[in-house]
Amino acid sequence: MDHLEACEGGQGTGSKLLAYVLASKLMNTRPADDVHDPELVVGGARVSFTIDGGPPRTGLLVHRLGSGLPGGTIPVASLLGATLIGMRVGRRAPLLFEDGRIGRLCVTGVAEAPRHPPELPVNTRKVTMSTTAQAVKSSAKKNPRIVISEESLAHLEGLADGMLRRHPALADRLYEEIGRARIVAADKMPKDVVGMGSTVVFRDENTGQEKTVTLVYPEEADIARMRVSVTTPIGVALLGLAEGASFYWDTRDNERRMLTILSVTQPDPEG
């Protein structure tokens, strides 16, 4: 996280897309519980991945900046490196290119992970964190943990893939939620956590109003019955949260709202 903040803060006149990816990564980042997790992409690890389902590629993710890097290395301060860091084996994410294209990145393996975190480059240690990095770091600390059922995972990833071209920002948010979630078996899903089909009562902290909605897949959405699709901004925000959690979501008019979940009711298994 220190290295991401240093890179984001030192972008200056560099790539605006890279600054966006770094800021987005920081917003949805928390320190790993297990730094020796063999499936977690960290600096110093050799990563195998595919882009848009193409042939396998491999690269060494490095905490180094500038030109002159040997072949087969991927700096964290690059669009590819900033997307890879923090991902897990088997996870997918949108990959931005400098020309504005959006690809699909999938991590297929991690090897040669370091036993100790690599030292940061000397020229990034004194970089002052930018205002954006400070804001997203503050948001990350407040970002509640989420839980997603293993049974829903493939469907949710498919929905994110389908939104890449039409709604890239929302697809990115859904990928990020999936990427930071704890995935559990369906029978281990906590009863107080919002999953697919859950009915949620929440309070809008801006107005004090309470609302009740049911989180559903797009084909089951019906706003008249308060059945909210998981592919809407509020649907993505609700996914995986537990009773008592407070969270923000950005409306389609770019208005930020803070909501608190008051209760969660799971669907009747009998239908």
Side-chain angles (χ1 to χ4, degrees):
M1 289 181 68
D2 288 343
H3 186 63
L4 291 177
E5 289 163 357
C7 293
E8 198 275 341
Q11 283 305 300
T13 58
S15 165
K16 292 182 179 179
L17 280 177
L18 177 55
Y20 164 78
V21 173
L22 287 166
S24 179
K25 181 73 70 167
L26 282 165
M27 182 177 292
N28 292 279
T29 292
R30 62 176 177 81
D33 296 324
D34 180 7
V35 296
H36 301 300
D37 185 339
E39 295 191 343
L40 184 68
V41 178
V42 298
R46 184 165 295 279
V47 188
S48 300
F49 58 93
T50 61
I51 298 176
D52 291 332
R57 307 185 189 187
T58 302
L60 182 66
L61 194 62
V62 297
H63 285 115
R64 295 176 60 187
L65 305 176
S67 58
L69 292 173
T73 57
I74 305 170
V76 170
S78 66
L79 288 175
L80 177 58
T83 306
L84 281 169
I85 192 78
M87 290 183 66
R88 295 177 62 83
V89 174
R91 294 294 171 84
R92 291 174 286 184
L95 175 63
L96 296 179
F97 294 91
E98 288 292 353
D99 61 5
R101 290 182 299 117
I102 303 175
R104 184 177 66 179
L105 176 69
C106 179
V107 176
T108 58
V110 178
E112 301 179 17
R115 293 186 59 84
H116 302 286
E119 289 291 318
L120 300 187
V122 173
N123 63 346
T124 69
R125 288 183 180 275
K126 297 183 180 180
V127 174
T128 301
M129 192 191 309
S130 71
T131 301
T132 303
Q134 290 173 337
V136 296
K137 182 177 182 181
S138 177
S139 296
K141 289 180 179 179
K142 299 177 181 178
N143 220 4
R145 292 188 179 186
I146 66 173
V147 183
I148 294 177
S149 166
E150 189 176 37
E151 186 180 48
S152 305
L153 183 60
H155 197 162
L156 291 170
E157 288 183 329
L159 290 173
D161 287 348
M163 290 193 295
L164 273 176
R165 300 295 177 185
R166 296 176 289 108
H167 305 293
L170 191 56
D172 190 27
R173 182 71 185 271
L174 182 53
Y175 273 124
E176 288 168 351
E177 293 297 277
I178 294 172
R180 73 184 185 89
R182 179 167 62 93
I183 308 301
V184 300
D187 60 352
K188 301 294 185 182
M189 189 75 175
K191 299 299 183 184
D192 64 345
V193 168
V194 181
M196 301 310 302
S198 298
T199 298
V200 188
V201 180
F202 63 83
R203 180 176 59 242
D204 186 327
E205 300 297 354
N206 294 41
T207 65
Q209 293 183 333
E210 295 183 9
K211 292 186 178 181
T212 302
V213 300
T214 300
L215 187 65
V216 298
Y217 291 115
E219 59 271 20
E220 302 168 332
D222 184 347
I223 193 62
R225 298 168 57 198
M226 300 303 289
R227 296 173 66 83
V228 174
S229 171
V230 71
T231 58
T232 61
I234 191 171
V236 173
L238 285 170
L239 180 67
L241 292 176
E243 288 181 2
S246 294
F247 65 101
Y248 75 86
W249 69 291
D250 295 320
T251 69
R252 296 190 187 279
D253 297 325
N254 292 321
E255 179 184 2
R256 177 152 294 188
R257 311 296 289 272
M258 180 65 71
L259 308 176
T260 299
I261 295 179
L262 303 179
S263 69
V264 179
T265 303
Q266 302 302 338
D268 184 351
E270 299 299 323

